[in-house]
């Protein structure tokens, strides 16, 4: 089959690789009909996530048709399914608490030492996202093997287009959980750092959960315009000082809740960010954490901090004193996708949640390297790239 493989920093290629096979009775094989490039994939593209190996198949946002099942799978051939990016067994201690991204069994035993050393405990298995998360082949391919297929995938009713439900695989539940972790109360003002896909879904989710005001912070004009579509007020951090603007907009109190949807590759010519970039380039540091620093400083006393953004390593200059003195709370973590799927699927089917607004480009799988470069280099115009494995090589759709 054809699949997008990682070969190094800024080097991804569509290769011919072996077709996936059933390895466990709970497995299923999915023929991919749609798969997307995630902002988190750009961390792999930029070489920030360790334990990648040449030839690893990328992609953790995908859906498709069931073409083969193991004897213990509950899926049936011909069903259309969306697959969560987290690989979870459904029966361990954490899955029993619906903490699916903390599953004890999604990560193969021979991969657990890596995360154990880095984080104190093994983490969940993820599709297409390094050997620290299991080394599983991802879904930017023609076919993919889905472990624990009796737990993860959700069946999509006939007649529903892929574009409406594809983002149930990751970014929609991630944005929803980000807003939920902010413990939003009616009348709250919520500030969201980053208007990428997760940030935009967090904006939409915050309003649905009762926020009175949402303030979206970014520097890409088109992304800020998308945030305004849902009623958000906006701050362009290249044109205004974010902290000062937030204080003015909230009468000096600060937002009730803040959401960091930026993560380890924060942009901007800020002193702390420049220092982080130098440290990362000289292997003296890993993450650029300007966004979470700024969110903590801006949040009101007694407020809540939600951090759906991806961070990978150790950080310094973390404002722990401000965090403690202001009495803040922080919730974070990979998304418990399986927990949210039924409710969010219903919300999509009832048109309570808008999903297709995000898509800016559709490309055939064969042009995936071009899609990565576009998404990486022009994040103002390229908000989401959806790949179609069955499209002809020369086809491309630009959505406006």
């Amino acid at each position: 089959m054809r699949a997008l493989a990682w070969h190094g920093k800024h080097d991804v290629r569509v290769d011919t690789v072996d077709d996936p096979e059933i390895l466990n009775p709970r497995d299923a094989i999915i023929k991919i009909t749609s798969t997307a490039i995630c902002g988190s994939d750009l961390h792999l593209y930029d070489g920030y996530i360790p334990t990648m190996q040449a030839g690893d198949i990328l992609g953790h946002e995908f859906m498709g048709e069931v073409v083969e099942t193991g004897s213990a799978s509950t899926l049936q051939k011909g069903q259309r399914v969306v697959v969560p990016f987290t690989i979870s067994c459904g029966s361990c201690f954490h899955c029993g608490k619906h903490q699916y991204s903390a599953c004890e069994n999604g990560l193969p035993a021979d991969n657990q030492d890596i995360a154990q050393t880095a984080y104190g405990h093994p983490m969940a298995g993820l599709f297409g996202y390094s050997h620290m998360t299991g080394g599983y082949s991802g879904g930017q391919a023609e076919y993919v093997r889905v472990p624990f297929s009796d737990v993860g995938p959700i069946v999509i009713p006939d007649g529903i287009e892929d574009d409406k439900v594809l983002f149930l695989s990751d970014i929609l539940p991630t944005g929803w959980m980000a807003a939920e972790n902010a413990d939003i109360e009616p009348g709250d003002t919520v500030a969201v750092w980053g208007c990428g896909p997760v940030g935009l879904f967090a904006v939409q989710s915050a309003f649905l959960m009762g926020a009175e005001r949402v303030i979206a912070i970014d520097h890409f004009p088109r992304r800020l315009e998308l945030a305004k579509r849902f009623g958000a007020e906006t701050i362009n951090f290249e044109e205004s000082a974010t902290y000062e603007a937030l204080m003015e907009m909230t009468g000096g109190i600060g937002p009730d809740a803040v959401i960091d949807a930026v993560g380890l590759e924060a942009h901007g010519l800020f002193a702390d960010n420049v220092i982080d970039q130098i440290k990362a380039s000289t292997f003296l540091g890993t993450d650029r954490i300007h966004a979470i620093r700024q969110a903590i400083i801006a949040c009101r006393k007694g407020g809540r901090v939600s951090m759906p953004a991806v961070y990978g390593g150790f950080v310094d200059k973390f404002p722990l004193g401000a965090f403690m003195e202001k009495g803040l709370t922080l919730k974070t973590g990979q998304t418990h996708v399986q927990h949210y799927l039924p409710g969010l699927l219903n919300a999509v089917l009832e048109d309570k949640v808008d999903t297709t607004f995000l898509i800016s480009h559709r490309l055939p799988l064969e042009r995936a390297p071009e899609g990565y470069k576009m998404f990486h280099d022009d994040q103002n115009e390229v908000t989401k790239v959806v790949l179609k494995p069955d499209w002809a090589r020369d086809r491309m759709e630009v959505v406006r």
Side-chain angles (χ1 to χ4, degrees), residues 31-44:
K31 180 182 179 182
I32 303 298
T33 56
S34 294
T35 180
I37 302 173
C38 181
S40 297
D41 289 328
L42 295 184
H43 300 323
L44 302 176

Side-chain angles (χ1 to χ4, degrees), residues 159-191:
I160 305 300
E161 60 181 301
D162 281 14
D163 288 349
K164 289 195 69 171
V165 293
L166 173 60
F167 302 141
L168 289 168
S169 58
D170 176 2
I171 53 174
L172 175 53
T174 297
W176 184 268
M177 181 170 141
E180 184 178 86
N181 279 348
D183 293 332
I184 294 170
E185 301 171 355
D188 271 352
T189 295
V190 180

Side-chain angles (χ1 to χ4, degrees), residues 103-115:
C103 175
E104 298 286 350
N105 299 314
L107 196 63
D110 56 356
N111 292 81
Q112 292 190 1
D113 287 350
I114 305 170

Side-chain angles (χ1 to χ4, degrees), residues 60-62 82-85 165-171 173 337 341:
H60 60 269
E61 295 182 356
F62 56 89
V82 173
V83 181
F85 77 95
V165 293
L166 173 60
F167 302 141
L168 289 168
S169 58
D170 176 2
I171 53 174
V337 180
L341 278 181

